Amino acid sequence: MMVRDDFRAAWWLPGRHAQTLGARLLRSRAGVRCDRERLELPDGDFLDLDWADVVGTSVPAGAPLVVVLHGLEGSARSKYALQSYRELAGQGLAAVGLNFRSCSGELNRLPRLYHSGDTGDMRHVIAALAARFPGRTIGALGFSLGGNVLLKYLGEVCESVVSAAVAISVPFDLAAGADVIERGLARGYRQYLVRRLQRKVQAKRELLDGEVDLERILRARTFREFDDAGTAPLHGFANADDYYARSSSKRFLEAITVPTLLISAYDDPFLPASALREVASAADGSRLETKFTPRGGHVGFVTGSPWAPRFWAEQTAANYLAERLGESSETAETRR
């Protein structure tokens, strides 16, 4: 279902790269405290959660809880996550950020990392929260890689306790994204992210030695090369193509039954517009709602004036989740 597009890109941030990089620079870290909690996992590893406390905003006890999932090489304290916590609190929603393995500032213990199709950790977190807060309404918000994980999870789980979700700037087709980011200025993002991933591999060298070809990983210059040498063998895939095919969230969209809003821009440098048009067609008539805008970049969507910028995607996500989770809470109360 196509929702009316009310985003107007800031005139002073023209183009996909200005939106993408401008948002990264302009978002603030102020006004949010994060209390960290460590969850021990059945496989001997751990996950770190960051519980958000927005200064000056009181969220009612028992308010709907939104789980926020970050993007590639981000964290639950990335600036778009902090902006989300502020927007969610403003709508009376509580928030907790999930740090994927090795993304909380401390490397994970096992000879593996995290990837776009790993829904196991999200399953564990959602189950733990549902057990801790029985009857509490739970929502989810995912950015980029985290959005792909979220949508894949929703498509896999027939009866999730997640009542509503939003996914922003999702790389729905991982193979198409790996190819498009090799064109033009977008290669700068790839170079930055691959180098960050390689630094983590280097830091875990002793643990990964014998599991993968470390030198091949460290020679990688593209996502496809890195995923073929590292992500695939570490996580049970035959190669990069197998990883992309099995992990791309576009395969799981038709199975999603939870009310879900997809926010993306056709000028996203991480995904070709053709892939987004495919998703728009698949979403038509389903439980998915789409706000696909001509402009906005990747996790950008800056609007307003230079002296008072606003972050439309986070605002829109918080508004949508407040409405849907409020409906779910009222339904639950009626049943009780």
Side-chain angles (χ1 to χ4, degrees):
M1 174 181 168
M2 181 67 73
V3 178
R4 185 177 65 85
D5 165 27
D6 55 0
F7 172 64
R8 297 293 175 266
W11 61 267
W12 45 278
L13 288 176
R16 64 184 67 191
H17 302 301
Q19 279 283 321
T20 302
L21 298 174
R24 179 183 175 89
L25 293 171
L26 290 166
R27 290 186 184 99
S28 170
R29 293 192 177 278
V32 182
R33 291 191 297 260
C34 291
D35 295 321
R36 179 151 292 176
E37 174 189 1
R38 176 154 295 183
L39 290 183
E40 294 293 331
L41 299 173
D43 64 5
D45 217 334
F46 67 90
L47 290 173
D48 285 331
L49 302 181
D50 283 325
W51 292 88
D53 178 18
V54 178
V55 177
T57 305
S58 178
V59 176
L65 174 64
V66 177
V67 181
V68 178
L69 292 85
H70 63 81
L72 181 65
E73 284 307 280
S75 78
R77 300 186 186 187
S78 290
K79 291 205 279 189
Y80 53 79
L82 299 177
Q83 182 65 32
S84 298
Y85 304 150
R86 288 190 286 265
E87 298 290 352
L88 291 166
Q91 293 289 339
L93 303 176
V96 59
L98 164 59
N99 291 281
F100 293 119
R101 301 192 197 206
S102 82
C103 292
S104 66
E106 182 177 339
L107 292 173
N108 63 307
R109 299 171 188 146
L110 300 183
R112 54 156 296 170
L113 293 170
Y114 68 104
H115 64 83
S116 296
D118 183 5
T119 56
D121 289 347
M122 183 176 180
R123 286 173 187 255
H124 183 86
V125 168
I126 294 295
L129 294 175
R132 187 185 305 181
F133 306 112
R136 190 170 185 180
T137 306
I138 295 176
L141 168 58
F143 290 86
S144 193
L145 176 147
N148 193 82
V149 171
L150 170 58
L151 296 176
K152 183 171 179 282
Y153 161 82
L154 293 174
E156 290 173 340
V157 179
C158 295
E159 296 185 8
S160 171
V161 297
V162 173
S163 297
V166 179
I168 297 172
S169 295
V170 175
F172 298 98
D173 184 331
L174 297 173
D179 292 340
V180 80
I181 207 166
E182 290 305 312
R183 302 174 195 163
L185 294 177
R187 286 176 292 185
Y189 305 120
R190 179 265 295 161
Q191 186 177 44
Y192 169 76
L193 291 167
V194 168
R195 283 180 176 173
R196 284 188 58 120
L197 290 165
Q198 287 171 324
R199 283 198 290 271
K200 281 185 177 173
V201 169
Q202 187 73 269
K204 290 170 65 78
R205 191 177 190 114
E206 289 185 13
L207 195 58
L208 295 175
D209 191 25
E211 300 287 336
V212 289
D213 184 340
L214 289 169
E215 297 311 314
R216 187 174 163 222
I217 292 174
L218 297 176
R219 287 197 307 269
R221 291 294 174 265
T222 68
F223 277 131
R224 193 176 289 274
E225 289 174 358
F226 181 90
D227 290 330
D228 202 59
T231 307
L234 279 176
H235 302 104
F237 300 101
N239 49 39
D241 287 334
D242 182 44
Y243 161 51
Y244 296 154
R246 289 165 56 188
S247 299
S248 292
S249 58
K250 70 175 186 177
R251 296 179 53 229
F252 299 87
L253 297 179
E254 289 184 0
I256 295 175
T257 59
V258 171
T260 301
L261 175 63
L262 309 178
I263 298 174
S264 286
Y266 282 106
D267 70 350
D268 189 329
F270 284 63
L271 192 71
S274 58
L276 210 52
R277 285 192 289 269
E278 245 184 86
V279 171
S281 297
D284 190 35
S286 71
R287 294 300 297 276
L288 303 175
E289 299 180 35
T290 59
K291 283 199 174 190
F292 291 171
T293 65
R295 297 172 59 193
H298 187 75
V299 194
F301 302 100
V302 184
T303 188
S305 65
W307 48 89
R310 291 185 292 109
F311 303 98
W312 175 84
E314 289 94 324
Q315 290 177 340
T316 301
N319 291 341
Y320 178 89
L321 289 168
E323 181 179 347
R324 295 297 186 276
L325 297 178
E327 291 170 357
S328 296
S329 296
E330 287 172 11
T331 301
E333 280 296 322
T334 301
R335 285 175 181 165
R336 283 199 288 270

